[in-house]
Amino acid sequence: MSNRQKFLDEFPVLVEELTAVLEGYGMPKEAIEWYQRSLNYNTPGGKLNRGLSVVDTYAILKGYKSVDDLAAEEYKKVALLGWCIELLQAYFLVADDMMDKSITRRGQPCWYRVDNVNDIAINDAFMLEAAIYVLLKKHFKQDSYYVDLLELFHDVTFQTELGQLLDLITAPEDHVDLSKFSLAKHSFIVIFKTAYYSFYLPVALAMFAAGINNEKDLKQAQDVLIPLGEYFQIQDDYLDCFGTPEQIGKIGTDIQDNKCSWIVNKALQLANAEQRKILDENYGRKDAACEEKCKVIFNDLAIEKHYKEYEEKVAEDLKAMIANIDESRGFKKEVLTAFLEKVYKRTK
């Protein structure tokens, strides 16, 4: 059985546990069924990279050859932490899709666009987040690191929301103002909106579960994982503009959607007055001809070359940082190398 399938098989059990909580409160059948449908529609449909990373990282830290070496109860507990990140992701996405007025998510209509859901999706998003704390209390309250888990989820949730706030006020889809953009703002947005919960959170959860909780080790992990998460998002920005639909599984929309991407910020840094004027007039317009004019500027400024230079430098820096990791307290370089290998030069 694949690691992904093994992980997926744990999800129905969590839905049953959450159902039992609602039944305990005396919730009527139609409300319970609504919550079950929201959980199943919004949580297990993605790539599950974040959740799977918790299990993979834990196995490395404990010295197992593979995830299959974990005892059944041990696996369930670590997989539960992985599913808590997937619930956090589901909460963010349900809310994000409403803010962005998105149409589809993971190949199906966004939850708020499903028949009869509409604005109830706001409350459903809250309930997806609340499920994390119900499950943590049930499974981890007796553990010495329970408060560490709670604080970590609360901190990372707030960090992600800070990143989302800056993104929303810097680049609203309906009002284009490139003077608000900068590489520094882009860096803050992607670190807070993506890197903390997608890269640092899975590793920190696995570290606590494996008994590695020294502040120095958590900092060692964070110092590599945050720039790695930033690199991952910059790759996404690059692929949206320069990747093919076959590669990335969709048609890139960042230019028309007025996204504060690395590509446009790098172009703004390099552009002369005439090029800047063209970008001001054409970026963020729902128009294929305007989009093409922006792409011409990006090509003229050799943005692709600048991206490749950035990619090589960041990979070199991260490899050097990983080489200097102190493993004396139980943390392992292999955790960080595994993340870098997944991300470096990915094409989708």
Side-chain angles (χ1 to χ4, degrees):
M1 188 194 302
S2 72
N3 285 358
R4 180 188 165 85
Q5 192 52 54
K6 187 175 182 178
F7 185 67
L8 273 168
D9 288 348
E10 293 296 315
F11 188 67
V13 182
L14 303 190
V15 176
E16 282 172 25
E17 288 184 15
L18 292 164
T19 298
V21 173
L22 269 63
E23 287 170 346
Y25 286 133
M27 285 287 276
K29 184 166 175 280
E30 69 265 29
I32 291 171
E33 287 175 354
W34 182 285
Y35 190 38
Q36 289 172 331
R37 190 162 67 113
S38 167
L39 286 164
N40 285 310
Y41 192 94
N42 294 304
T43 315
K47 298 190 191 88
L48 307 178
N49 288 341
R50 296 166 184 83
L52 287 165
S53 293
V54 181
V55 185
D56 292 343
T57 300
Y58 178 84
I60 292 170
L61 291 172
K62 295 293 277 186
Y64 293 120
K65 286 192 175 68
S66 83
V67 167
D68 294 331
D69 293 343
L70 274 71
E73 283 310 306
E74 187 181 21
Y75 178 83
K76 280 181 177 301
K77 209 160 174 177
V78 182
L80 177 81
L81 290 175
W83 277 114
C84 284
I85 303 190
E86 295 299 331
L87 284 162
L88 185 68
Q89 162 88 333
Y91 155 59
F92 289 148
L93 296 184
V94 169
D96 198 45
D97 287 341
M98 293 188 79
M99 288 181 251
D100 291 347
K101 301 180 180 62
S102 299
I103 306 299
T104 59
R105 166 72 65 184
R106 297 169 172 171
Q108 58 185 9
C110 297
W111 178 241
Y112 79 97
R113 299 187 79 251
V114 170
D115 286 350
N116 304 317
V117 176
N118 302 314
D119 286 352
I120 299 172
I122 298 169
N123 194 62
D124 291 333
F126 298 156
M127 289 182 69
L128 289 165
E129 186 200 21
I132 297 165
Y133 300 102
V134 172
L135 293 167
L136 289 178
K137 183 178 177 183
K138 181 178 177 189
H139 292 273
F140 292 92
K141 193 171 183 184
Q142 73 287 357
D143 290 298
S144 60
Y145 55 92
Y146 175 55
V147 173
D148 292 323
L149 297 180
L150 295 179
E151 288 185 347
L152 183 60
F153 268 104
H154 284 310
D155 289 347
V156 170
T157 300
F158 190 50
Q159 286 162 329
T160 309
E161 289 158 355
L162 290 174
Q164 173 74 341
L165 172 63
L166 189 58
D167 195 14
L168 289 167
I169 63 176
T170 301
E173 221 173 305
D174 56 353
H175 180 69
V176 183
D177 180 1
L178 297 187
S179 69
K180 286 185 169 183
F181 285 22
S182 70
L183 281 168
K185 257 190 194 171
H186 174 268
S187 181
F188 186 96
I189 289 167
V190 301
I191 286 171
F192 279 76
K193 188 177 170 180
T194 301
Y196 277 110
Y197 94 97
S198 300
F199 285 81
Y200 177 63
L201 179 59
V203 171
L205 289 172
M207 288 171 72
F208 284 130
I212 298 167
N213 57 8
N214 187 286
E215 284 297 325
K216 288 179 181 170
D217 285 323
L218 289 161
K219 178 143 189 350
Q220 287 194 112
Q222 185 169 316
D223 286 348
V224 171
L225 291 163
I226 296 305
L228 183 60
E230 182 178 14
Y231 164 43
F232 176 85
Q233 186 56 53
I234 290 172
Q235 272 181 327
D236 251 18
D237 294 352
Y238 167 77
L239 290 168
D240 187 276
C241 187
F242 294 100
T244 64
E246 292 74 34
Q247 265 183 310
I248 61 174
K250 61 177 183 176
I251 294 165
T253 59
D254 283 1
I255 295 172
Q256 290 196 27
D257 291 347
N258 190 37
K259 287 285 191 273
C260 181
S261 84
W262 185 86
I263 302 297
V264 71
N265 279 296
K266 191 68 185 171
L268 291 170
Q269 186 188 49
L270 299 168
N272 62 31
E274 187 187 338
Q275 291 166 325
R276 172 62 190 250
K277 186 169 184 289
I278 292 168
L279 289 173
D280 279 330
E281 288 169 356
N282 293 281
Y283 196 78
R285 308 292 190 275
K286 303 283 187 191
D287 181 307
C290 293
E291 180 181 39
E292 197 49 47
K293 285 177 186 171
C294 294
K295 285 190 171 180
V296 168
I297 300 291
F298 296 161
N299 286 323
D300 289 347
L301 292 169
I303 297 298
E304 206 162 354
K305 175 174 146 297
H306 285 284
Y307 168 75
K308 297 272 168 61
E309 287 169 0
Y310 159 77
E311 180 170 54
E312 289 313 314
K313 176 155 190 345
V314 78
E316 194 181 310
D317 291 349
L318 290 170
K319 282 175 189 167
M321 287 171 79
I322 293 169
N324 289 319
I325 291 288
D326 173 7
E327 295 183 316
S328 63
R329 291 173 299 271
F331 187 61
K332 294 184 180 173
K333 298 175 187 180
E334 194 187 331
V335 168
L336 303 172
T337 304
F339 268 84
L340 180 57
E341 283 172 355
K342 280 182 201 163
V343 173
Y344 182 52
K345 290 205 166 171
R346 74 188 171 99
T347 55
K348 60 181 180 181

